[in-house]
Amino acid sequence: MKFEIFSQVALREDIPKYNLKKGATATIVEHYQMPEGEEDGYSLEGFNVEAITVEVAESQIESIKAPVLQLGKLS
């Protein structure tokens, strides 16, 4: 499994069926392991759309990197 359950991911491409755009973020709620040679799938929720779960292939999502916080100089 490339992505962990409950991790946040971003779409790598638009999903017109749900009017979702590349870069939209969501949380992985389920993983579907496929036979060798086939791409694993995931269910995503949290696109600011109530009561919708979107199923995607692994290649359609990417990890969200946490922002690096830079602390200012203390006086």
Side-chain angles (χ1 to χ4, degrees):
M1 176 170 44
K2 183 174 182 178
F3 300 100
E4 297 293 323
I5 299 295
F6 303 120
S7 62
Q8 288 199 322
V9 294
L11 293 179
R12 297 180 123 202
E13 59 189 55
D14 294 348
I15 301 181
K17 178 179 178 180
Y18 296 105
N19 198 30
L20 297 172
K21 301 293 183 190
K22 177 180 177 178
T25 60
T27 302
I28 293 175
V29 295
E30 188 66 57
H31 171 244
Y32 306 102
Q33 188 169 358
M34 302 303 281
E36 188 172 331
E38 293 185 34
E39 192 172 15
D40 283 0
Y42 296 88
S43 288
L44 308 178
E45 291 183 355
F47 286 109
N48 295 327
V49 180
E50 291 185 34
I52 189 171
T53 300
V54 177
E55 293 180 357
V56 298
E58 188 172 287
S59 63
Q60 292 178 288
I61 55 177
E62 61 188 359
S63 295
I64 296 176
K65 295 187 168 112
V68 176
L69 299 177
Q70 294 183 350
L71 300 176
K73 190 160 85 171
L74 297 174
S75 17

